[in-house]
Amino acid sequence: MTDKETIYRQLTAAVVNMEEEEAAAIAQTVIARGYDAYEAIERGLAGGMETAGRLFEEEEYFIPELLLCADAMYAGLAVLKPHLRAEAGKGSKQKIVIGVIQGDTHDIGKNLVKILLETAGCEVIDLGRDVSPQAFIDRAVREEAQIIAISTLMTTTMDGLAEVVRLLNQQNLRDCFKVMIGGAPVSQAFANKIGADSYCVNAAAAVRQVRQFGAAELPAAI
């Protein structure tokens, strides 16, 4: 294992162990050694939140622990974000409307996805949390976006993701947008069931998926 890989593992552990000061200190080491900030976020901080999300799903962690993990992640992000280098041409034509579905106020994962997408060169319109299905569609049409990205951390609000797809079909807009979904209770099987275009297991996967979509494949919204 290289020194860089060791540091990324330490960054992951700091998030999982809810160590805010440690995450910031390790992030400083990343910068001091000239390692790539984006890679550190993807392989360190995002990996830590992915583990925390799994522990939450397995009921080993609960909301207080998840929030403390998020605090550690944000502490690391505060150090690394100013050093991110925009990846020109790898998503600059793509405009994405992102948000957390109505009834859910958990936006940690959504915020991380937004940061990585912006770094990849995408234009991201963040609707925040507790967003109604129709609000996603209205804003995507208004902004002439190509992608609608929706997340939830709660099983009780998963039907809202399906409602976005249903409304798009009802309003003859389904072919105008790619729909990406994510969050702890969501799966590829659920995405297939509701007719979403993609399920993304984490923030890094979301960036890869957006690049695969390609804005040029989509007609303009009417």
Side-chain angles (χ1 to χ4, degrees):
M1 185 181 299
T2 67
D3 288 344
K4 181 167 66 172
E5 290 170 339
T6 298
I7 287 177
Y8 293 163
R9 287 170 66 94
Q10 291 172 346
L11 204 51
T12 295
V15 172
V16 175
N17 295 330
M18 301 165 274
E19 297 173 338
E20 190 172 341
E21 293 183 2
E22 182 72 5
I26 297 169
Q28 291 284 5
T29 301
V30 169
I31 302 306
R33 296 194 181 185
Y35 299 152
D36 184 75
Y38 182 92
E39 189 177 62
I41 292 172
E42 179 182 343
R43 296 178 57 187
L45 297 176
M49 283 310 301
E50 184 179 351
T51 300
R54 187 178 69 250
L55 292 171
F56 177 80
E57 190 176 3
E58 294 170 354
E59 297 186 348
E60 291 188 39
Y61 276 11
F62 298 94
I63 293 297
E65 288 81 7
L66 202 61
L67 293 175
L68 289 171
C69 289
D71 286 342
M73 180 197 73
Y74 286 129
L77 276 175
V79 175
L80 295 171
K81 191 174 179 181
H83 299 274
L84 290 170
R85 297 187 296 271
E87 301 178 46
K90 290 188 176 181
S92 55
K93 293 183 179 179
Q94 300 184 73
K95 186 181 287 188
I96 302 160
V97 169
I98 192 171
V100 180
I101 199 64
Q102 191 170 35
D104 193 344
T105 59
H106 303 97
D107 62 357
I108 299 166
K110 182 267 295 177
N111 292 342
L112 186 55
V113 171
K114 176 188 175 183
I115 289 168
L116 294 193
L117 286 173
E118 287 176 336
T119 303
C122 300
E123 182 179 349
V124 183
I125 296 95
D126 186 359
L127 303 187
R129 51 194 184 181
D130 195 19
V131 182
S132 72
Q134 187 61 51
F136 278 101
I137 296 169
D138 291 343
R139 192 63 180 273
V141 171
R142 188 186 325 147
E143 299 285 349
E144 297 184 351
Q146 290 82 36
I147 298 169
I148 299 174
I150 322 164
S151 70
T152 185
L153 196 66
M154 302 167 59
T155 56
T156 54
T157 55
M158 289 172 65
D159 287 345
L161 279 61
E163 180 67 3
V164 173
V165 178
R166 189 191 71 78
L167 288 172
L168 285 169
N169 285 318
Q170 184 185 73
Q171 297 166 29
N172 296 318
L173 291 169
R174 183 64 187 90
D175 292 338
C176 296
F177 307 103
K178 295 292 188 183
V179 178
M180 296 169 49
I181 63 173
V186 183
S187 65
Q188 184 62 56
F190 181 74
N192 296 341
K193 178 181 177 181
I194 69 173
D197 294 287
S198 175
Y199 156 69
C200 299
V201 67
N202 55 35
V207 174
R208 289 192 294 269
Q209 182 61 73
V210 166
R211 287 174 175 162
Q212 289 174 16
F213 280 152
E217 300 175 2
L218 296 164
I222 58 174

